[in-house]
Amino acid sequence: QAASAATLRAHRQLSFLDIAGYQPNSQVTDHAAIDLDQAALESQLALRTEESFDAAKQIYLEGGNSKSYAEIVLGTPLSGSIGKGAKIHGKNDEGKTITGKALDDYTSGTTQISVQYDTTDEQDVYVQCQVGALPKAKAGLENTVGCFSASGNLKIDGTEYPYSYNPLVDNNNARTISGFSTGAMKK
């Protein structure tokens, strides 16, 4: 029996939403979120206080919106190795499932892992865990709705592992304005 056109469309991405008039051919929402770091940095500079200048510098160095990941401490060591990109599932404070992937390869016996949060194709809600240096601005810029709860269980390759971490300290960003600036020198 032939699949309907609607069924085929449901299983493939026909196009991605425009971002500032640009029609991307792949998911770039997480990359585009660096603009939110720029806006946060600029808002801190505009305050013109010593504390806000320090917050702006930290946002420049640590980010808050792009390539968000959690540094998790497992209560039980990994029972086997997991590869970079392995799917990891947990819950947020509301009990909603949060998904991510291993940011690196981890060997059996490891007790600290980094989990990059999954992103969506919609820029307005691309990721709901935005922390990094944002709490240092003391302006309520951070968003923890889509972060893992402070403790619970993560499901990795079918095995559940108890974990703990501090959502306002241990959610970081692997993409920052500083990284773009210093990375350009290497290219």
Side-chain angles (χ1 to χ4, degrees), residues 136-147:
K136 293 172 184 164
K138 296 181 182 154
L141 300 173
E142 65 274 5
N143 174 12
T144 60
V145 171
C147 300

Side-chain angles (χ1 to χ4, degrees), residues 33-43 45 59-60 65 177:
I34 202 77
D35 285 356
L36 298 172
D37 286 348
Q38 180 71 29
L41 186 151
E42 289 176 12
S43 72
L45 291 175
I59 292 168
Y60 170 80
N65 292 286
I177 296 172

Side-chain angles (χ1 to χ4, degrees), residues 2 4 10 12 17 20 72 75 84 88 90-91 100 103 128 135-136 155 167 174 181:
S4 71
R12 62 186 173 110
L17 298 175
I72 301 284
K84 181 178 180 176
I88 299 174
K91 302 276 184 188
L103 196 57
Q128 293 295 301
K136 293 172 184 164
K155 192 170 194 174
S181 299

Side-chain angles (χ1 to χ4, degrees), residues 22-170:
Y22 168 71
Q23 172 89 53
N25 290 323
S26 62
Q27 187 188 63
V28 295
T29 50
D30 201 33
H31 285 81
I34 202 77
D35 285 356
L36 298 172
D37 286 348
Q38 180 71 29
L41 186 151
E42 289 176 12
S43 72
Q44 290 302 301
L45 291 175
L47 295 174
R48 304 180 64 81
T49 67
E50 189 173 329
E51 186 177 77
S52 69
F53 289 146
D54 288 342
K57 181 179 179 182
Q58 292 309 306
I59 292 168
Y60 170 80
L61 294 171
E62 300 172 29
N65 292 286
S66 188
K67 207 170 183 182
S68 298
Y69 70 93
E71 291 184 27
I72 301 284
V73 176
L74 300 174
T76 306
L78 289 174
S79 59
S81 296
I82 60 170
K84 181 178 180 176
K87 282 291 179 195
I88 299 174
H89 305 271
K91 302 276 184 188
N92 68 1
D93 286 339
E94 299 168 354
K96 180 182 172 196
T97 298
I98 303 298
T99 59
K101 61 186 177 183
L103 196 57
D104 227 329
D105 294 326
Y106 299 99
T107 59
S108 178
T110 298
T111 57
Q112 186 167 340
I113 62 171
S114 296
V115 182
Q116 182 182 348
Y117 292 100
D118 283 349
T119 58
T120 70
D121 298 340
E122 295 179 53
Q123 194 64 49
D124 291 342
V125 294
Y126 70 100
V127 71
Q128 293 295 301
C129 186
Q130 298 150 306
V131 181
L134 298 177
K136 293 172 184 164
K138 296 181 182 154
L141 300 173
E142 65 274 5
N143 174 12
T144 60
V145 171
C147 300
F148 293 122
S149 292
S151 62
N153 289 306
L154 292 180
K155 192 170 194 174
I156 306 170
D157 285 341
T159 302
E160 290 204 7
Y161 296 90
Y163 75 91
S164 63
Y165 84 125
N166 182 334
L168 291 177
V169 174
D170 299 325

